[in-house]
Amino acid sequence: MKSLTLTMPLDMHVHLRDGDMLNIVAPLTSYSFSGALVMPNLVPPLTTLEGIKEYRHRIKVAMEADDFEPYMTLFYQNYTREFLESVQNHITAIKIYPSGATTNSEGGVVSFDIEPMRETLEAMSDLGIILAVHGETNGFVMDREAEFMSVYEKLAINFPRLKIIMEHITTAAAVEMLDKYENLYATITVHHLMITLDDVAGGMLRPHLFCKPIAKRPEDRSALLKVALEAHPKVMFGSDSAPHPKHTKESCGCGAGVFTAPIALQLLCEVFDAHKKLDNLQAFVSDNAQRIYGICPDFKEVVLIKHDFVVPEMYGEVVPMMAGETLKWSIERVE
Ligand code: NCD
Ligand code: ZN
């Protein structure tokens, strides 16, 4: 039977939430992955050193495994250099959200004018703290990411020593930026490699595929697939697995977020296998992230086999992407 061994898989963008939800989802991520970049959009968002330390502790307790590293992020505000010095050993990146762009982002920035942010971003450049960006404007929903490219450009030029990660890119426009600016990198989700807007809203509405940024056009998906499948050195896997309780997804006013944590590696195998690029998956799902972020996770091996896996209907109160469907790959063992 066809199999693939991945060493130290990393999910460089995940929402683990808190409380009961954390207890449901953290063990699923820590089973498949060696580490994950944990998003700070809690309610209220993570903006203090105490908050980061306490949240990391709650994650460690919830995940039921010792061989998993939660790479912590701080929610962007204008911070002083002194504060950043005090947190730098406790965080891997700072995540910036435009206010209101997505779930729990109300405390984000209202403007990307450079001058008010200069002190913070200069200090981050000096200290080597990475900036992870939710890149969407408040324009027409299909154009929000493409419109944000001018902001990425401005940030990349004004702060050439700052490593900037374009999170969960969904457009050909974002892919083009990778080769234009040395300090721009990107994460890509597995769902954006698979679906377009048609899958979300072309037929019956599929709330469990609704997320921000919304899935775009076939040509955008092709551009994402191209760089993911070749494991372009500036892209890495970030699931953006974002659990919401079933009743808030299957409701009037469905929250944005696709829950993929327990099926992410299996789906990645399916996508890379379909394109005969399984050899590049290790780089996409770990090596690139290790190099870009300068992280060294503890040793872990995940063995996947080409064997059917029926996705459970629910994990706790959360419906995963492809619930009830059969995937072509499954996880055989983790060592
Ligand atoms: C995320 C969430 O639910 O926290 N939702 C989403 O649609 N991706 C937030 C985010 O990353 O945009
Ligand atoms: Zn996210």
Side-chain angles (χ1 to χ4, degrees):
M1 193 176 299
K2 207 163 169 181
S3 79
L4 180 74
T5 300
L6 294 172
T7 54
M8 284 94 86
L10 295 167
D11 179 351
M12 298 312 289
H13 182 133
V14 74
H15 299 270
L16 295 181
R17 312 299 193 206
D18 214 339
D20 293 344
M21 184 65 94
L22 172 66
N23 292 325
I24 296 168
V25 302
L28 300 170
T29 288
S30 66
Y31 177 69
S32 295
F33 294 94
S34 263
L37 192 76
V38 180
M39 291 298 123
N41 62 333
L42 302 182
V43 186
L46 287 173
T47 55
T48 64
L49 177 55
E50 270 317 289
I52 296 276
K53 283 186 185 167
E54 289 166 10
Y55 185 40
R56 184 173 186 282
H57 179 71
R58 293 197 297 281
I59 294 168
K60 281 280 191 185
V61 170
M63 72 192 196
E64 298 171 358
D66 282 336
D67 58 350
F68 176 83
E69 185 61 35
Y71 297 105
M72 305 305 292
T73 62
L74 185 73
F75 191 95
Y76 184 95
Q77 295 177 345
N78 288 331
Y79 293 111
T80 63
R81 183 176 291 261
E82 292 67 39
F83 175 75
L84 292 173
E85 282 169 359
S86 75
V87 291
Q88 75 175 124
N89 293 333
H90 301 270
I91 60 171
T92 302
I94 295 182
K95 176 73 186 284
I96 189 165
Y97 292 90
S99 177
T102 188
T103 307
N104 304 338
S105 64
E106 291 70 22
V109 299
V110 288
S111 143
F112 278 88
D113 286 348
I114 294 295
E115 288 319 315
M117 298 195 293
R118 188 173 289 283
E119 184 191 340
T120 307
L121 296 179
E122 286 289 358
M124 286 173 63
S125 305
D126 294 343
L127 298 171
I129 301 174
I130 289 176
L131 181 70
V133 184
H134 183 109
E136 289 194 285
T137 66
N138 59 4
F140 180 65
V141 67
M142 286 294 279
D143 297 336
R144 285 176 193 174
E145 183 174 293
E147 287 174 0
F148 199 85
M149 294 306 124
S150 58
V151 178
Y152 281 133
E153 210 148 46
K154 200 165 70 171
L155 289 169
I157 291 170
N158 275 277
F159 304 97
R161 293 174 300 124
L162 183 66
K163 268 192 180 169
I164 302 167
I165 318 289
M166 302 185 287
E167 293 295 328
H168 43 51
I169 59 171
T170 60
T171 57
V175 169
E176 281 172 24
M177 298 292 279
L178 290 168
D179 294 326
K180 278 197 200 149
Y181 295 95
E182 206 186 316
N183 54 336
L184 287 184
Y185 303 80
T187 57
I188 301 180
T189 74
V190 70
H191 51 282
H192 290 122
L193 294 177
M194 298 176 66
I195 65 171
T196 67
L197 183 62
D198 255 7
D199 297 285
V200 187
M204 301 269 261
L205 188 65
R206 308 219 356 235
H208 299 292
L209 298 181
F210 172 64
C211 68
K212 299 289 178 66
I214 193 100
K216 305 289 188 315
R217 297 178 170 78
E219 54 272 33
D220 293 305
R221 181 180 55 184
S222 301
L224 299 173
L225 269 170
K226 182 169 183 299
V227 284
L229 292 170
E230 76 184 25
H232 185 296
K234 296 176 86 183
V235 305
M236 52 202 155
F237 177 61
S239 70
D240 196 15
S241 178
H244 291 259
K246 183 176 198 256
H247 71 273
T248 67
K249 291 292 284 180
E250 298 179 5
S251 77
C252 176
C254 158
V258 179
F259 181 56
T260 53
I263 57 167
L265 287 184
Q266 299 89 319
L267 283 180
L268 283 171
C269 281
E270 194 165 323
V271 172
F272 277 65
D273 190 23
H275 291 88
K276 305 204 169 8
K277 294 287 183 190
L278 273 178
D279 286 351
N280 290 343
L281 185 51
Q282 176 63 35
F284 179 64
V285 82
S286 183
D287 303 353
N288 288 356
Q290 289 188 48
R291 199 181 54 251
I292 293 166
Y293 270 93
I295 53 179
C296 284
D298 288 344
F299 185 78
K300 179 169 181 170
E301 254 181 14
V302 181
V303 181
L304 292 114
I305 50 171
K306 196 163 186 179
H307 184 273
D308 286 359
F309 171 66
V310 180
V311 181
E313 294 290 344
M314 303 270 285
Y315 290 89
E317 56 178 346
V318 193
V319 179
M321 182 183 173
M322 302 190 73
E325 293 181 49
T326 303
L327 311 186
K328 294 194 173 71
W329 284 76
S330 52
I331 294 179
E332 192 198 39
R333 59 178 197 279
V334 179
E335 281 162 11

